[in-house]
Structures are given as structure tokens and as C-alpha cells.
Amino acid sequence: MSGYVRASDIAKLPVVTLGGDDIAQVKDIVFDAAGGSVRCFTLSGRGLLAGPLKRDLLWSRVHALGPDAVMIHDENALAGDDQAARDAKSSGGDVIGARIMTEGGTDLGRIVDVIIATGRQPVVAGYEVESSAQGHHRVLLPVIKPVAVSGEMVVVPDTVAEFTAGDLSGFPEAAHGLQARLEQES
């Protein structure tokens, strides 16, 4: 079973070992731009004056992602100068601030956060969008298969605009409705 969480709620979570050691905190989340999966977390040290760590945490090394912490088996889960972590970061993309448009050319607004479906392999399930056309009103848009993703633009099927939620509690219904509609159309 999966739930939904905003990416901004994962940033700053502590990274804790199963032995109870608090060893880092999440700085950023790196996504696979093509597939929408979580690739890795960049990390910072714990504490007010701690800076970024030169080690990353690949998703494959995460034991669990909970509401209060990212759990790992032990400190060996953190990647030092790891080629897999570098590959994950180079294939990721930042969509915060990007415009989201439908295939038909309707501007839905700017992305202000990413909604993640948690579970064994967390994936991007949608976006929190601020629409300037509606007085900077924010809505959550489920996105099952974007047509295109770049750092400046995310293009989605026209149908996406019909399924929105005002908060995370209404997001599962919107996501289910979009999935059912897309299945009908195929």
C-alpha cells in the first residue's frame, strides 16, 4: 500500500540507522526525469551549522521512508564517491518552478512541489501547481504519464486538468479518477 507525500515534506527529514544513529538529513530529492522514480537523496549534516555532505543515499539503499525519518540499515548505505549516485544525479531534473501545460496548450500554472507515491519504489504521482490565472490558487494535479518533462516545462495529457485535489487527503480520489479515464480512452 502506498500513500502520498509532498517532496518538500521529505526534505530536512533525518536519516537514521536501524541501530538508532541519526547520521544525516535529506537535502534534496533527485528524480529520474524520464520515469519519475526517486533515484537518490542528496544529504547534509545534522545541526544548525552543518553543510552538505559529499555522500548521497541511493533509493535502493533505503530501508524505509516514514513520515518522520528515512531509515537505512547502517552508515554503509551512504554512497561516497559512488558512480551510481553520480549517474542518478546527472539523469535527474528539477521541475520546481517549471510551467505545466496540457497537450492542447492550456497553461495550468507553475509547479511549486512534487507529490510522491510512497512504497517500495516511490514515484512522482503529481504536482502541486500554483495557477496565476486563479489568483495564485494552489491545486494538486495527478500525473500518471507526462508527455514531456524538462527543467522549464512539463507537458501532460489534456485530461489531467479535469482531475484536481485541494489537499493530500483528496489526492487519491483525483489520481484514481484520472487513471480510470485514461484507461477508458485507450
Side-chain angles (χ1 to χ4, degrees):
M1 179 172 192
S2 70
Y4 296 100
V5 64
R6 286 179 171 87
S8 62
D9 292 338
I10 296 172
K12 307 288 185 232
L13 281 180
V15 177
V16 179
T17 68
L18 292 177
D21 296 323
D22 185 349
I23 59 172
Q25 75 180 29
V26 175
K27 180 180 174 209
D28 288 311
I29 303 165
V30 179
F31 299 99
D32 172 1
S37 61
V38 173
R39 299 291 301 263
C40 72
F41 300 116
T42 62
L43 305 172
S44 62
R46 297 289 288 155
L48 186 59
L49 301 176
L53 294 180
K54 295 186 189 237
R55 299 172 5 167
D56 299 310
L57 176 58
L58 291 170
W59 175 257
S60 61
R61 296 182 182 168
V62 171
H63 174 74
L65 171 62
D68 300 313
V70 176
M71 301 300 296
I72 59 176
H73 286 282
D74 56 38
E75 199 165 336
N76 292 330
L78 302 185
D81 187 21
D82 188 327
Q83 184 63 44
R86 284 195 305 277
D87 291 346
K89 290 191 324 190
S90 69
S91 70
D94 186 6
V95 296
I96 303 298
R99 288 180 31 213
I100 187 163
M101 303 275 291
T102 67
E103 287 179 292
T106 302
D107 186 345
L108 300 176
R110 293 219 176 262
I111 297 172
V112 296
D113 211 339
V114 177
I115 307 303
I116 299 171
T118 60
R120 282 194 113 26
Q121 179 57 48
V123 295
V124 174
Y127 302 103
E128 183 171 9
V129 176
E130 184 175 79
S131 171
S132 57
Q134 297 178 357
H136 299 285
H137 177 72
R138 289 186 177 193
V139 296
L140 304 182
L141 292 172
V143 176
I144 294 170
K145 291 183 181 177
V147 176
V149 178
S150 74
E152 298 172 7
M153 183 83 59
V154 174
V155 180
V156 297
D158 293 327
T159 309
V160 167
E162 299 173 32
F163 297 91
T164 65
D167 57 25
L168 282 177
S169 64
F171 189 78
E173 183 178 340
H176 178 72
L178 175 61
Q179 183 164 0
R181 173 72 65 79
L182 291 174
E183 287 172 1
Q184 284 177 342
E185 291 177 356
S186 10

